[in-house]
Amino acid sequence: MLWYDSHAQRLRRVAPAWKARAEIGQTDAIPPHYAEELQKRIVGTVVLPGDPDYDRDRLLTNPRFSAFPQVIVYCEVENDVAECIHVARALSLPVVVRSGGHSTGGFSSQDGFLIDVSRMNEVVVDPANLSAWVGPGTNFRKFNAKLQYFDLHTPGGACADVCIGGYMQGGGYGFTARMFGMNCDQVQAVRLMLADGRMVDADENTNSDLFWAVRGGTGSNFGVLLAVKYRLYKGNDFAGFSIVWSMNTDEEAANAARALAWLQEHFMRTGAPDNLGYQMIWAFEGPVTQPKEPMLLMRGMYRGPTEELETILKPVLDLPGSTLQALYDPQPYTDLNRILLSEPYEVPEFPADMVPMPPPEAKLSRYLARPLAASDWLGLIDYFRTSPSPYTIAAMEIYGGAIAAVGCESNAFIHRDVYCDLFFDVFWVSEDERETMLSFLEGWEKRIAPYWCGRVYQNYPTPKNQNFGENYWGERYALLRAIKTKYDPGNLFRYPQSIALLEEPLDSAVLPELSGPIAYCDGT
């Protein structure tokens, strides 16, 4: 009854085309008999170069990057992943895993074997035990909606389309991270499929080295993430606020610089309560019909009543140049998150008819771990004000609170004792603009260098970073290399910034926690 099987009908259509393209040498795809057999064995979908959907499916969210995988497979169940790994090993193809495709370095795809887990997006909430099992392809739009029904929360990302698979493995910052910790700090257990096709569970007691590494060690390194168990918190409503400083004139820019210096001293590591989370955003804003003006925005959430929030914010509002744009009564997290990034203007605000949307983007992350004087901040602000594009933004993701309370030894996310991650974001729509904006970004890199502590948020990679291991993980990179060697000894999962294998065998005397056998889900 193949006529009643849409899966089989599709294979009947595409298999002859796969063979025909291979016979005349018009494809860079995997051999057609591998693709056909793989498609027969899985629930998901095999896509090859030349297929009608290939050019759409190979693209990432950022059109700056363009990879050409030899095969893309949309996996839907665990066995799909196992079959993909079997084929990839047989063909000696490197494997990259894509959950949402938002890697700022373009590492969500490559010219090899692409396993897409976006269809593995189940969410099972256990309100009695304040936990949830979540599939790696679950985006925050779905995850937060599921939690909202039960009046529960766990810290997540600001972007609704970002999926938890890559986000969690890179750390995971959001508006409520200062209240609860990074997203990876909420993980109680994970399930992965390793390079040998077998599944493992990992938590504090089982495969604890892998559990440590996955939470901050970034994706496509140790295996394919299949599921995450999160800790949840009661209460989904948060109060919110928006404060603004104009930076249009020199005096206004100086006020903003003095405000940043004051905030560093009184409202980041100390002063700001742990149940307050906020970001400082530098953007060009204003009505559509008028030129955009540089602004400093302070936007955040508070876990408590609005009256308490007003009292907490009073010293900030006493700073010269500050204006209270809005104060929001407690409301569901998803609603407030959307408001803070879109009202009264989007951050950044692109034209409705811009093509492509979103436009190509380049981002640079720099952690700041020491105080800057107002004059230092003013130098950075003045450079920002000279941007050739009104779409340039800089954002300070404020740390402290629960993020700092978690020890640097707890997981592979080591960036605990910092004031903020200050990232710079540029966009362009033409080749001429590309060169201009990348040059402007290079100028910013030089301006921020004297204040940078040498660390980079691993969820904001740049493709040309040759020192990524030190920047992302510091001295912990050696331990991550050992764990990578243990769980992926053949280096199946690799890309330009994947964790390198150790050149020498593991020394159990130095790393005794790595000497135990891998505990697979079948008990072996």
Side-chain angles (χ1 to χ4, degrees):
M1 296 178 62
L2 295 183
W3 57 272
Y4 210 72
D5 184 344
S6 59
H7 191 273
Q9 290 178 29
R10 177 184 179 275
L11 183 57
R12 278 183 169 179
R13 293 194 302 271
V14 299
W18 291 346
K19 294 176 182 177
R21 289 197 294 267
E23 288 174 355
I24 61 176
Q26 289 187 347
T27 181
D28 294 322
I30 63 173
H33 62 280
Y34 275 96
E36 186 172 358
E37 189 62 26
L38 178 60
Q39 184 63 86
K40 289 178 181 177
R41 291 175 175 269
I42 68 172
V43 177
T45 306
V46 175
V47 180
L48 297 187
D51 286 351
D53 295 331
Y54 176 78
D55 281 332
R56 179 199 65 190
D57 293 348
R58 68 179 178 82
L59 295 179
L60 304 180
T61 302
N62 186 349
R64 175 188 179 189
F65 304 108
S66 183
F68 294 87
Q70 294 181 46
V71 58
I72 304 169
V73 182
Y74 289 91
C75 294
E76 299 189 25
V77 296
E78 291 82 353
N79 186 66
D80 289 2
V81 177
E83 293 291 345
C84 287
I85 289 175
H86 175 75
V87 172
R89 292 183 63 181
L91 296 174
S92 299
L93 290 177
V95 173
V96 161
V97 185
R98 180 176 70 187
S99 53
H102 289 82
S103 169
T104 62
F107 302 135
S108 300
S109 185
Q110 66 178 0
D111 301 347
F113 200 116
L114 177 58
I115 294 179
D116 187 293
V117 295
S118 60
R119 297 181 187 176
M120 302 179 70
N121 55 20
E122 301 85 357
V123 179
V124 180
V125 179
D126 182 353
N129 292 304
L130 294 179
S131 65
W133 277 101
V134 186
T138 306
N139 64 34
F140 282 106
R141 179 181 296 102
K142 179 175 181 177
F143 189 22
N144 289 328
K146 291 279 285 192
L147 295 183
Q148 182 174 326
Y149 178 81
F150 296 98
D151 191 30
L152 297 171
H153 178 75
T154 205
C159 300
D161 288 343
V162 168
C163 298
I164 67 108
Y167 174 84
M168 182 280 290
Q169 292 181 87
Y173 178 89
F175 274 114
T176 62
R178 285 192 84 256
M179 307 177 200
F180 305 105
M182 301 293 285
N183 183 265
C184 68
D185 298 334
Q186 318 311 318
V187 177
Q188 297 178 323
V190 293
R191 173 166 286 186
L192 288 90
M193 186 164 290
L194 302 184
D196 62 6
R198 290 191 285 178
M199 289 191 299
V200 296
D201 289 329
D203 56 28
E204 290 183 352
N205 301 310
T206 304
N207 299 316
S208 57
D209 52 357
L210 180 63
F211 184 57
W212 179 89
V214 166
R215 295 173 299 151
T218 72
S220 296
N221 264 309
F222 310 102
V224 181
L225 185 68
L226 301 174
V228 178
K229 184 181 181 183
Y230 280 110
R231 175 189 303 110
L232 306 179
Y233 301 88
K234 293 182 179 179
N236 187 259
D237 286 0
F238 298 86
F241 66 95
S242 177
I243 299 173
V244 63
W245 289 260
S246 173
M247 300 192 298
N248 198 40
T249 68
D250 290 347
E251 180 57 31
E252 289 170 337
N255 282 336
R258 287 189 284 266
L260 288 175
W262 184 92
L263 288 165
Q264 257 199 302
E265 182 178 357
H266 300 285
F267 219 70
M268 291 186 190
R269 286 180 175 173
T270 59
D274 291 351
N275 53 348
L276 178 80
Y278 70 96
Q279 300 181 36
M280 306 297 300
I281 305 170
W282 313 9
F284 294 86
E285 296 204 326
V288 175
T289 57
Q290 299 179 18
K292 306 292 185 182
E293 296 183 357
M295 313 289 284
L296 173 65
L297 313 174
M298 181 181 183
R299 295 185 174 178
M301 298 186 180
Y302 179 69
R303 198 180 190 209
T306 312
E307 294 76 18
E308 289 182 4
L309 178 58
E310 286 185 280
T311 301
I312 291 167
L313 293 177
K314 185 179 185 308
V316 180
L317 291 170
D318 287 341
L319 297 173
S322 65
T323 301
L324 180 65
Q325 270 190 322
L327 202 63
Y328 303 101
D329 289 329
Q331 58 189 281
Y333 168 83
T334 52
D335 295 337
L336 183 58
N337 182 73
R338 174 186 52 78
I339 289 170
L340 292 179
L341 295 178
S342 63
E343 296 184 9
Y345 310 106
E346 292 273 1
V347 181
E349 186 169 29
F350 298 121
D353 59 351
M354 177 176 278
V355 177
M357 175 58 73
E361 168 192 10
K363 178 176 288 189
L364 185 76
S365 161
R366 292 292 185 261
Y367 277 111
L368 303 182
R370 68 172 179 85
L372 276 66
S375 58
D376 298 326
W377 284 114
L378 184 58
L380 296 174
I381 287 172
D382 282 343
Y383 183 80
F384 173 81
R385 293 167 66 200
T386 66
S387 173
S389 167
Y391 311 128
T392 299
I393 63 170
M396 300 165 61
E397 298 177 328
I398 308 302
Y399 279 42
I403 302 173
V406 175
C408 292
E409 308 295 320
S410 297
N411 51 48
F413 187 81
I414 67 167
H415 316 292
R416 303 292 178 173
D417 193 19
V418 297
Y419 286 98
C420 67
D421 172 39
L422 173 52
F423 71 79
F424 204 76
D425 227 349
V426 299
F427 302 85
W428 61 88
V429 294
S430 69
E431 191 60 28
D432 288 343
E433 286 185 359
R434 176 183 184 275
E435 296 304 317
T436 299
M437 297 316 299
L438 289 179
S439 177
F440 188 64
L441 183 62
E442 290 176 0
W444 171 263
E445 185 174 5
K446 295 175 182 176
R447 293 294 181 104
I448 196 71
Y451 316 114
W452 177 38
C453 69
R455 299 288 182 260
V456 169
Y457 181 25
Q458 51 263 52
N459 260 351
Y460 298 156
T462 53
K464 294 183 179 180
N465 186 355
Q466 300 298 312
N467 198 32
F468 65 90
E470 166 66 22
N471 294 158
Y472 300 159
W473 301 295
E475 63 183 16
R476 289 293 165 181
Y477 185 48
L479 178 56
L480 283 167
R481 293 182 64 189
I483 297 170
K484 167 74 171 180
T485 305
K486 176 180 177 180
Y487 287 91
D488 183 21
N491 204 23
L492 180 70
F493 301 100
R494 62 187 188 274
Y495 57 96
Q497 287 186 18
S498 58
I499 295 170
L501 298 179
L502 290 176
E503 290 88 358
E504 301 294 333
L506 299 180
D507 185 344
S508 59
V510 177
L511 302 167
E513 70 274 22
L514 300 178
S515 60
I518 300 172
Y520 291 92
C521 292
D522 60 4
T524 58

